[in-house]
Amino acid sequence: MERRHRDPSEFVEIVDIIQIAPRVHMDGNNESEDRLAADIDKSYGNIFWFNPGENYPASMYTNFGKDWADNARGIYYSDDWSEAVRSHATLLPGRNLFIPSFKQIDWESPHESNRRRRARMAMKHALDNSKWNKSEYAWEADAWRDIFGHIRNDPLLALDKREYLAYKNETDPVSCLLTGKRTLEKRIPDATFGLSTYQGLPRKNKVPGQNGTFREDRLKRLLYHRKCGLISDPKWDAAKLVFPWAVYEAKGWAGDCREARRQACAGAARYLHMLDHLAHTPGPQTAKTGYQTPSSHDFQVFAITSFGAYWHVLVGFRHDRTAEQHAGTSGLSKKVASFRKIWSGAITNERGAWELIYLIDRIQHYARNHFRDFVMYHLDNWHDYCSENYMFDWDSDDESGSTRKRKHELVAGDTVRLPRWCEALGDAAKEKVKQTAEACLTAAFLDEDGHAKRLKMVKQIFPYTEEYVDPSSLTLDLGGVLDGV
């Protein structure tokens, strides 16, 4: 028999095999709890990192296009924390991260009795929601009460369904690379966790542990002063919930756990950017300043998601794009927010609910005792820098002289120049920011008793007001002027 010689072009070379995990549908799902948890984990972390040099088939874009667009913007997720630990030395040299753990804790200890009681309540609500297939609202409401209740009652911390503004870099629908265009977007996570501030005069509504660092009028001065432009509240135009340290996104059984991950990581990446600005040496955003201290890059944000009764806890950190993430490639961001899974599990059993509550409690302890101190130290340097400058346009870096430094007055007719974060706003929005900034910076001249340090100047700006202008009343709603962006 004559052997037929095949043309080499008839052969197909197998370069790689990629397993695509299907989306988990809960309707009519009768799998065991362990099998279901494994399937959700596979779907949640089914990510193939973007390689801009590869020619991918259309099916790959269908399955991974959203995550690849995030990769181009600088958002990466890894499902295996052990891999991150092994690459810790090369990815984050000299970096310290707080990773909560319960490995050395005896959960049956009498010391854990209160947490076990809370876990049983969380388990009861999760089983009830599952049984009756309740909406996403029911899951979210129970999370606020059963999982985050202690944070809600902490006077030094803030928890709210807080909107955030962020510029979203547009990506090409085919190449997934950045196009160079961006749009200003408003998003509202299911919960944002930050630090609390206080209004008005500290002697009237002093909170134990609070100090002038987190006084609302001082934070607004940093926001509107053109030499600073430091955004502390993700809403931009406020100073209520500042410097977020965690974000939470919930999805009911009808939702998609992967979309919860993308939304939470997008919010956390924005909060990491805010902390990065805070950690740098004070000055205009246009100035290329370094970090305040060698350890100032040791900041992090937690991203927490729930898909029905199944939860994931991630930690995110910011760094320069690495070679593995194609540093130096055109169409990719220079900075990266990397997220790693710390824990995942179901709270339909007491042990799983206890594990989650223990981790959240440890994160709360970190936020109030370590993260808050980190923010306070760096924020005090910003306050000092702002005080060294005229409240409006004097620059201590360019001008000198004790007489000029003591002047601190606004001449009638002067206008406030805006900080860099206002550049992309429309004319209507800029005018509103200018008016609010003028009033806010003027109010900064008031002393802690509410008396004007420069009464003449205050009357020039507020001719029909009393001597005291409440800084907490100086708010600006950007929501109505975003059409001008």
Side-chain angles (χ1 to χ4, degrees), residues 112-157:
E112 293 298 314
S113 60
N114 181 56
R115 240 186 301 264
R116 289 197 303 272
R117 177 186 58 78
R118 293 163 57 197
R120 287 191 294 271
M121 182 60 68
M123 177 189 68
K124 176 179 178 293
H125 291 153
L127 290 172
D128 182 69
N129 290 341
S130 300
K131 178 180 179 181
W132 300 108
N133 194 24
K134 291 188 177 180
S135 67
E136 180 179 313
Y137 170 79
W139 293 100
E140 183 183 337
D142 288 338
W144 277 64
R145 179 179 55 252
D146 300 336
I147 309 299
F148 306 132
H150 282 202
I151 298 175
R152 176 67 181 84
N153 295 325
D154 192 323
L156 298 183
L157 305 179

Side-chain angles (χ1 to χ4, degrees), residues 248-260:
Y248 168 65
E249 290 285 0
K251 297 295 178 186
W253 286 139
D256 187 343
C257 62
R258 297 170 296 185
E259 194 59 31

Side-chain angles (χ1 to χ4, degrees), residues 156 195-200 202 206-207 209-223 230 232 239-240 242-243 278 292 371-384 448:
L156 298 183
L195 303 177
S196 64
T197 63
Y198 65 91
Q199 300 177 352
K206 186 82 171 178
V207 175
Q210 283 284 24
N211 58 38
T213 304
F214 295 101
R215 210 173 70 195
E216 186 177 346
D217 60 320
R218 299 188 73 198
L219 292 170
K220 285 185 177 180
R221 184 179 68 165
L222 293 177
L223 172 68
L230 182 67
S232 58
K240 304 287 187 184
V242 298
F243 298 110
L278 168 72
Q292 294 185 30
F371 176 79
R372 188 172 179 274
D373 288 345
F374 171 92
V375 171
M376 189 183 304
Y377 172 84
H378 292 83
L379 196 54
D380 281 338
N381 292 332
W382 279 90
H383 286 313
D384 291 342
E448 292 189 356

Side-chain angles (χ1 to χ4, degrees), residues 388-403:
E388 287 294 316
N389 287 270
Y390 271 92
M391 294 300 176
F392 292 89
D393 288 321
W394 182 81
D395 188 349
S396 60
D397 296 330
D398 301 331
E399 304 180 43
S400 60
S402 57
T403 302

Side-chain angles (χ1 to χ4, degrees), residues 279-332:
H280 274 77
T281 301
Q285 287 179 296
T286 53
K288 296 182 178 180
T289 60
Y291 286 113
Q292 294 185 30
T293 71
S295 61
S296 289
H297 53 35
D298 287 339
F299 54 86
Q300 61 192 80
V301 172
F302 293 93
I304 306 165
T305 67
S306 64
F307 174 50
Y310 292 84
W311 287 65
H312 287 77
V313 180
L314 322 177
V315 64
F317 43 93
R318 199 169 192 259
H319 57 90
D320 292 330
R321 187 177 286 272
T322 64
E324 183 186 13
Q325 297 160 337
H326 309 284
T329 302
S330 178
L332 300 179

